[in-house]
Amino acid sequence: MGRSAAFFDLDKTVIAKSSALAFGRPFYRDGLITRRDVVKSAYAQLMFRLGGTDEQTMARTRDYLATLCKGWQVEQVRQIVAETLHELINPYVYAEAAALIEEHQAAGRDVVLVSASGDEMVRPIGALLGVTDVIATRMAVEDGRYSGEVEFYAAGPSKVDAVGELATARGYDLADSYAYSDSYSDRPLLECVGHPTVVNPDRALRKLAVENSWPVLEFRHPIPLGRRLRERPAVPVAAAALGVGVGVAIGIAWYGRHRRTRAATPAVTA
């Protein structure tokens, strides 16, 4: 028997929103994307979630991502993520997911975040959760800027390839390992481990879980880190279990109102 690990999808599994779309507002604010980019990105995200297992859909999403990011300064992206992480991500981490991650770590398992979002976003989110191992999309970089090429797109079967490589390098026994996801597009990831669990599943994944008698969890309590530490016993993971077998566009209008409100009130440090 080798070591075991727990692989967690990120969006709608660990956090209650899309990590890529969450950073759309500061990217828009700093001039990296336009309003049209915002809408197209949200649509691409929606199409991926609805039919992400289709190779053509994944290829279109990957190519759009590469084109959108071409020319961006890598350091600027990292700085934006670092400055807005606690505002845009921390309040949306599911308390149940954080508790489950801690349970796996307490049991001696390595925890790995596996996400189609960019490494520059996923890795800091992992650090927020005490997770150092990340499998995420990597963009090619030339002279400190994204070149418009994708080195590795962490979606569909590619996730499984990366998980397999990591398992070989670390000596993980995948038959004794765990995986968690909300999306049918992660069917290959769930099927490659001995203990798959679906979280807040879409319709297709819920049907698959029923057919395979996989556990289904519903996470409903996104709580900031400070409150989570104070109220840890309040949301036990077991309470989220329903049993065995059983994005959208970024708010540009909200952002405009938010900016006007901030302009009309004294500045407050985030």
Side-chain angles (χ1 to χ4, degrees):
M1 295 292 291
R3 301 164 58 198
S4 63
F7 301 93
F8 283 80
D9 175 51
L10 182 59
D11 299 348
K12 309 299 178 66
T13 301
V14 174
I15 62 175
K17 56 167 39 179
S18 161
S19 53
L21 296 184
F23 292 105
R25 286 190 285 117
F27 287 167
Y28 173 73
R29 176 197 66 204
D30 285 21
L32 293 179
I33 59 176
T34 64
R35 292 190 181 203
R36 184 180 180 184
D37 292 329
V38 168
V39 176
K40 288 180 68 176
S41 297
Y43 179 76
Q45 177 83 2
L46 177 61
M47 290 301 98
F48 176 78
R49 293 189 65 80
L50 292 179
T53 53
D54 178 80
E55 290 186 9
Q56 291 185 338
T57 301
M58 287 193 291
R60 285 196 299 268
T61 305
R62 179 200 62 212
D63 294 343
Y64 174 73
L65 175 68
T67 301
L68 178 66
C69 299
K70 184 176 181 179
W72 291 6
Q73 292 183 359
V74 178
E75 190 54 40
Q76 182 182 11
V77 171
R78 289 174 176 164
Q79 183 175 350
I80 291 172
V81 172
E83 290 175 350
T84 59
L85 181 69
H86 286 275
E87 173 191 356
L88 300 179
I89 299 298
N90 183 31
Y92 298 96
V93 175
Y94 285 121
E96 299 95 333
L100 188 55
I101 288 172
E102 291 177 356
E103 287 183 11
H104 280 296
Q105 291 172 329
R109 298 185 191 95
D110 290 346
V111 173
V112 184
L113 289 185
V114 188
S115 174
S117 293
D119 186 90
E120 291 81 4
M121 301 176 191
V122 180
R123 198 164 295 278
I125 295 174
L128 185 71
L129 295 162
V131 175
T132 57
D133 292 317
V134 165
I135 293 172
T137 295
R138 298 189 303 274
M139 309 294 292
V141 176
E142 293 179 1
D143 299 324
R145 295 179 181 269
Y146 296 118
S147 68
E149 301 293 330
V150 179
E151 287 186 350
F152 172 71
Y153 187 43
S158 295
K159 281 188 177 182
V160 178
D161 293 340
V163 166
E165 291 175 4
L166 185 62
T168 299
R170 298 276 185 84
Y172 297 146
D173 179 3
L174 290 180
D176 194 36
S177 293
Y178 297 74
Y180 301 85
S181 179
D182 71 300
S183 175
Y184 187 83
S185 64
D186 277 333
R187 176 176 181 170
L189 173 66
L190 293 165
E191 290 181 336
C192 83
V193 299
H195 302 283
T197 297
V198 304
V199 177
N200 301 339
D202 57 33
R203 182 176 299 178
L205 183 58
R206 186 179 294 274
K207 181 175 182 291
L208 182 67
V210 170
E211 292 172 351
N212 289 276
S213 298
W214 292 347
V216 177
L217 300 178
E218 298 287 349
F219 291 171
R220 293 290 182 261
H221 301 87
I223 298 176
L225 179 61
R227 280 188 58 195
R228 191 160 63 243
L229 292 175
R230 293 194 303 270
E231 302 174 7
R232 184 173 297 169
V235 190
V237 172
L242 294 185
V244 175
V246 175
V248 289
I250 300 171
I252 290 296
W254 178 91
Y255 175 70
R257 291 196 299 272
H258 178 66
R259 293 277 290 182
R260 289 194 295 272
T261 301
R262 290 185 63 181
T265 56
V268 178
T269 301

